[in-house]
Amino acid sequence: MVKELFLVDSYLKEVRATVISVKDGKYVTLDKTIFYAKGGGQPHDTGQIIRQGEVFNVVYVGKFSGEISHEVDHVGLQPGDIVCCFLNWERRYKLMRSHTAAHVLAALLNKGTGALITGNQLEEDHMRFDFSLEKFDRTILEEYLVRANELFGEDIEVRWYELPREEALKIPGVVKMAEASPPDLPVLRIVEIVGLDKQADGGTHVRNLREIGKVDLVKTENKGKNNRRIYFKLS
Ligand SMILES: [Zn+2]
């Protein structure tokens, strides 16, 4: 059974689950979850766990020793409790749109310049890229952004699926982002933007580039030799 439901269906906003364990009163594991745990450049989800009308706000979600731990704002949950989980969808959906947009931008930059993405951090209101590039010109960057925004107006499907590790690692550019250094697993999850990009990736994405809307350049910084930092945000 798939416990990390967001890996299969990133649009799942609520689910009934059973509390498996509670540590120090506030760190809860569930038999299955819709809450994304912080990692891979994507922030954790927030939301609510509700037991018979009592609301426990989910304030942090992390993965420890392979288990997703939900930190709630007060004690009271017990192993065996049947609960309803609700995602803060507004936050998650922005992160999904940003995450897919980041993959498109990274793919265009990588294809056009050969630059490798050395760091990538999404936030609710912006996304940040670090990449290595000797010659850096804001005009060129803006051209990539224009191209990306054109793609966000097109009906381009995004898919995710698993591949055996050996097969996955044969895909050119499958690990162009530092976040995606593939975990030591026999099977890798691939996020494919049809016709443009395939990445080993554990994040949540939109199903179609049309959902992204438009992305703007916020600012660029030089972080030393060959090291560039750029900030984007959803319009
Ligand atoms: Zn990613």
Side-chain angles (χ1 to χ4, degrees):
M1 192 183 71
V2 179
K3 293 168 71 179
E4 300 178 9
L5 302 176
F6 52 84
L7 288 177
V8 179
D9 184 357
S10 55
Y11 292 79
L12 205 54
K13 301 172 189 69
E14 54 183 85
V15 74
R16 245 165 78 96
T18 304
V19 175
I20 297 295
S21 70
V22 182
K23 192 178 158 226
D24 299 334
K26 293 208 285 192
Y27 303 94
V28 178
T29 64
L30 302 166
D31 65 331
K32 53 185 175 296
T33 188
I34 51 175
F35 294 105
Y36 183 83
K38 178 181 163 68
Q42 183 176 327
H44 64 86
D45 285 330
T46 58
Q48 297 178 325
I49 295 176
I50 299 179
R51 181 192 58 195
Q52 293 179 335
E54 186 179 359
V55 176
F56 298 82
N57 290 302
V58 176
V59 295
Y60 185 84
V61 187
K63 197 168 188 176
F64 306 97
S65 310
E67 287 290 331
I68 292 184
S69 168
H70 310 75
E71 181 183 350
V72 291
D73 61 348
H74 65 280
V75 300
L77 286 169
Q78 300 291 337
D81 284 350
I82 306 292
V83 294
C84 288
C85 303
F86 296 91
L87 208 58
N88 176 348
W89 175 246
E90 201 184 322
R91 169 181 163 94
R92 157 69 86 71
Y93 192 50
K94 267 190 210 161
L95 292 169
M96 283 164 55
R97 290 163 62 215
S98 295
H99 201 152
T100 308
H103 280 215
V104 170
L105 285 159
L108 292 177
L109 274 168
N110 181 256
K111 278 198 175 112
T113 66
L116 276 174
I117 311 300
T118 53
N120 169 33
Q121 183 59 49
L122 306 175
E123 301 295 345
E124 198 174 344
D125 58 349
H126 70 264
M127 51 191 135
R128 193 197 79 207
F129 273 16
D130 293 326
F131 60 100
S132 56
L133 193 60
E134 199 176 332
K135 278 185 70 181
F136 184 66
D137 183 336
R138 187 170 168 135
T139 320
I140 294 173
L141 195 57
E142 277 167 353
E143 283 169 17
Y144 284 112
L145 198 61
V146 167
R147 178 64 189 131
N149 279 322
E150 283 169 8
L151 291 172
F152 300 155
E154 289 180 30
D155 180 16
I156 296 173
E157 197 194 336
V158 184
R159 302 172 182 155
W160 42 92
Y161 46 84
E162 291 186 328
L163 283 181
R165 185 185 183 85
E166 295 250 306
E167 197 180 324
L169 293 180
K170 283 180 194 153
I171 299 170
V174 75
V175 282
K176 72 175 74 57
M177 298 173 84
E179 56 147 306
S181 59
D184 189 18
L185 295 172
V187 165
L188 295 181
R189 180 173 182 264
I190 303 296
V191 172
E192 175 181 1
I193 300 166
V194 174
L196 183 72
D197 186 49
K198 289 180 186 174
Q199 280 291 300
D201 193 272
T204 58
H205 290 264
V206 293
R207 287 194 195 108
N208 194 293
L209 292 197
R210 275 194 177 149
E211 295 182 48
I212 293 169
K214 190 173 171 289
V215 168
D216 295 321
L217 183 62
V218 179
K219 62 173 177 177
T220 66
E221 289 172 355
N222 280 326
K223 304 294 285 182
K225 191 176 184 292
N226 298 353
N227 192 7
R228 319 295 169 202
R229 176 166 284 185
I230 42 182
Y231 293 86
F232 298 100
K233 68 175 178 58
L234 297 170
S235 290

